[in-house]
Amino acid sequence: MNAKTKKRMVVVTGVIVIVLIVVLALVGGSTAAKSISVAQAADGSHANERVQVSGNVVENSFETTGNMLTFAIYDPEGDSSVQLPVSFEGGVAATFGNDVTAICTGKIDENGVLQATELVTKCPSKYENASDALSVASLLDYGESVYDKPVKVAGTVKAGSLKAAGQGDRFILVDASDGTEMAVLFDGALSDEIADGSSLVLTGSLNSDSKFSATDVALEG
């Protein structure tokens, strides 16, 4: 290969590299999401832009129809009356619930709804001592004498039972000593650390269906 041919190949290679850099930059720019606040997202100035908005889920604003989840978020450090409606189609983490931090990525449509293609939820871990908590079996043995009375109960999460809020029983709590099971109702946020087999301490009350209506869920610690 002579010097002239080598020089031509170097130039061609350089041009190809430059073109690839430009293409990648354009692709990256078109898919990158701009981080904005709930207030900015709600004012209508970012319609049809790909954005990422973080906020807390408005209490009882969520509804699931088929595989479509709709809810609203607000800025916990801003004006809580300013809310952004969000729509997300796809699987939702079991951590999803009232007041969970939701990081939503997508485009805001002409109706002001963020059509999210990505949804990540975050909730700080909470720990509770189980020394004054009843076991699942002990609580159920009390029967109707403790219906609707505030109590603490401890147990472990049954494998495969965790669900997001709004999808029925949130999870099944199992008595570690004898395997007695109890369905738990809870619409709040769950810590990312809660998983199959996690040891939990719940505060709430037993209802007439022998299900536990939890007002607080913490990891045993």
Side-chain angles (χ1 to χ4, degrees), residues 57 60-66 68-71 92-98 162-171 184-190:
V57 174
N60 299 326
S61 66
F62 52 84
E63 182 178 352
T64 302
T65 304
M68 182 67 71
L69 171 68
T70 57
F71 59 98
V92 182
T95 52
F96 183 87
N98 287 331
L162 273 168
K163 298 177 184 176
Q167 297 182 357
D169 298 339
R170 196 64 180 278
F171 56 87
V184 176
L185 306 174
F186 183 63
D187 283 335
L190 290 179

Side-chain angles (χ1 to χ4, degrees), residues 42-196:
D43 69 12
S45 61
H46 294 276
N48 295 315
E49 293 181 23
R50 184 168 170 77
V51 296
Q52 184 176 87
V53 188
S54 297
N56 287 23
V57 174
V58 176
E59 185 173 355
N60 299 326
S61 66
F62 52 84
E63 182 178 352
T64 302
T65 304
N67 203 35
M68 182 67 71
L69 171 68
T70 57
F71 59 98
I73 58 175
Y74 72 97
D75 186 348
E77 297 180 358
D79 184 350
S80 60
S81 66
V82 177
Q83 301 177 359
L84 176 69
V86 180
S87 180
F88 176 72
E89 185 174 8
V92 182
T95 52
F96 183 87
N98 287 331
D99 218 36
V100 71
T101 298
I103 304 171
C104 312
T105 305
K107 291 186 177 181
I108 302 172
D109 65 20
E110 63 276 8
N111 296 315
V113 178
L114 176 56
Q115 299 291 340
T117 55
E118 299 174 31
L119 173 62
V120 178
T121 56
K122 292 184 177 181
C123 179
S125 297
K126 183 187 298 184
Y127 294 89
E128 185 82 24
N129 192 302
S131 59
D132 58 346
L134 295 171
S135 67
V136 175
S138 296
L139 176 61
L140 293 178
D141 282 345
Y142 280 111
E144 61 183 30
S145 65
V146 294
Y147 285 170
D148 302 320
K149 295 180 180 179
V151 294
K152 278 187 180 180
V153 61
T156 61
V157 177
K158 181 179 180 179
S161 69
L162 273 168
K163 298 177 184 176
Q167 297 182 357
D169 298 339
R170 196 64 180 278
F171 56 87
I172 303 296
L173 195 68
V174 181
D175 192 315
S177 62
D178 66 5
T180 301
E181 299 182 357
M182 177 177 67
V184 176
L185 306 174
F186 183 63
D187 283 335
L190 290 179
S191 164
D192 297 340
E193 292 187 38
I194 294 177
D196 292 347

Side-chain angles (χ1 to χ4, degrees), residues 14-28:
V15 171
I16 293 173
V17 171
I18 292 171
V19 170
L20 286 173
I21 291 172
V22 171
V23 170
L24 290 173
L26 289 174
V27 171

